[in-house]
Amino acid sequence: MTNNPVAVFDSGIGSLSIIRELKREVPNEDLLYFADRAHFPYGNKSHQQLREIMVNTINYLRRYKPKLVVVASNTPSVQVLDEVRRMITDLPIIGVRPPLKEAARLTKKKHIGIMATEGTIGSKELKIQIRREVPQHILVTKFNASPIIELIEHGVHLENERRTFDIISRVLGEGVDEKMDVITLSSTHLPFVKTYLNALLPTVRFVDPAQIVAKDVRKFLKFYRMAKKSGTGKLQILVSDGKREFEKSVRAMGIREPVEEVFLTF
């Protein structure tokens, strides 16, 4: 089991932000990265659709014999992960959620922002997480970042600076940095435009949960004695749609491993 891969998936390029941190945190581990572009974007799916996609995807990944599955997307992690874990009890699953405790701890202005998909922003599960993790005296503003996530998935941020800046500015609106000082990047796609965000809002701190997830994976593997002790971890990449565009984006991000297209029946 220790030599089996850690599977990481989301609806496209977003997983790479988690993969990057995993390579630092658990360098010995073999990683299987599945970009499920056939179901992009997760952010506009219904609760039931999301749950079905998660269960079917995890069951599909069983053929690669993963020792652990990382759902590298906030939208399903926030909305359906607890249900999925109750349905799949024989395979450990780790998700990624908005790092609200961290944001609440860091803010001096007592006002934080959450950038996430439309689905996450509107979900009752996020409301519950905010109530549970953010003290009442701290204000929370939510930003629907779905237009930004869309342009990242299609590689626009790598080729068209003006359009990227325009869309990010439209999502955030005016005067954000006067009101708040911390914003969570609650989509795994968003770290790829962090240079744009820092240029637009230099006084705002952007919190990326990828490091938290990578540390969770390391602790989990160590605790259950599943960690690979030696060797250089290999990366296997699968994509379920739009291989050419996806390959172009990952190459531009410095990923050299071959990309294999797979065809899903769900």
Side-chain angles (χ1 to χ4, degrees):
M1 195 68 167
T2 55
N3 291 323
N4 293 19
V6 173
V8 183
F9 79 94
D10 84 319
S11 62
I13 212 94
S15 287
L16 268 184
S17 64
I18 303 280
I19 294 278
R20 246 179 353 197
E21 294 301 326
L22 285 170
K23 282 184 155 187
R24 288 190 194 113
E25 202 66 45
V26 285
N28 299 332
E29 297 296 338
D30 291 337
L31 303 175
L32 172 72
Y33 165 25
F34 176 42
D36 184 16
R37 298 186 93 214
H39 292 107
F40 179 86
Y42 288 160
N44 66 2
K45 303 286 187 287
S46 71
H47 192 97
Q48 187 180 340
Q49 284 172 321
L50 262 185
R51 188 178 58 224
E52 283 173 13
I53 291 166
M54 290 304 105
V55 170
N56 287 332
T57 303
I58 292 164
N59 283 332
Y60 171 79
L61 291 173
R62 285 180 188 276
R63 67 191 66 192
Y64 299 95
K65 299 186 170 56
K67 58 185 173 184
L68 171 66
V69 174
V70 179
V71 178
S73 174
N74 286 262
T75 301
S77 295
V78 167
Q79 292 186 59
V80 299
L81 190 59
D82 292 339
E83 292 170 62
V84 171
R85 280 196 185 118
R86 285 196 290 274
M87 294 165 82
I88 297 174
T89 55
D90 62 330
L91 188 55
I93 307 164
I94 285 177
V96 53
R97 290 175 188 261
L100 301 185
K101 284 181 184 169
E102 178 80 351
R105 192 175 60 75
L106 291 169
T107 182
K108 302 276 193 296
K109 293 186 176 178
K110 308 298 176 214
H111 190 164
I112 66 171
I114 302 170
M115 291 176 76
T117 64
E118 188 177 2
T120 300
I121 288 301
S123 71
K124 69 177 192 305
E125 290 83 6
L126 182 62
K127 287 194 185 88
I128 291 164
Q129 189 186 341
I130 291 168
R131 268 206 309 273
R132 203 172 52 231
E133 297 184 5
V134 181
Q136 280 189 328
H137 66 281
I138 294 175
L139 283 170
V140 177
T141 298
K142 302 176 202 168
F143 299 96
N144 173 12
S146 283
I148 305 172
I149 292 156
E150 185 86 31
L151 76 85
I152 294 166
E153 188 59 40
H154 296 299
V156 176
H157 66 301
L158 300 167
E159 301 169 343
N160 193 329
E161 274 191 15
R162 162 115 349 146
R163 191 163 159 225
T164 305
F165 271 122
D166 283 350
I167 289 173
I168 293 172
S169 299
R170 211 175 305 147
V171 165
L172 291 170
E174 296 291 317
V176 170
D177 46 350
E178 290 160 29
K179 292 181 280 199
M180 65 191 75
D181 54 354
V182 181
I183 295 176
T184 71
L185 301 180
S186 297
S187 156
T188 50
H189 282 68
L190 292 172
F192 297 120
V193 291
K194 204 168 173 196
T195 50
Y196 289 95
L197 293 166
N198 287 333
L200 278 168
L201 301 171
T203 61
V204 173
R205 184 156 177 183
F206 293 94
V207 186
D208 175 7
Q211 292 171 336
I212 298 166
V213 175
K215 283 184 170 61
D216 286 346
V217 168
R218 178 175 55 75
K219 287 175 193 163
F220 179 92
L221 295 175
K222 188 179 175 188
F223 184 82
Y224 288 102
R225 298 185 178 169
M226 292 159 71
K228 197 169 164 226
K229 298 286 192 296
S230 61
T232 307
K234 293 190 285 291
L235 176 62
Q236 182 180 0
I237 305 173
L238 312 172
V239 65
S240 60
D241 194 27
K243 179 187 169 182
R244 188 175 293 173
E245 183 185 59
F246 174 78
E247 205 164 33
K248 188 180 169 195
S249 288
V250 298
R251 295 288 176 259
M253 292 176 185
I255 301 293
R256 295 284 163 259
E257 283 83 358
V259 176
E260 179 192 341
E261 188 156 18
V262 297
F263 300 95
L264 305 177
T265 54
F266 57 89

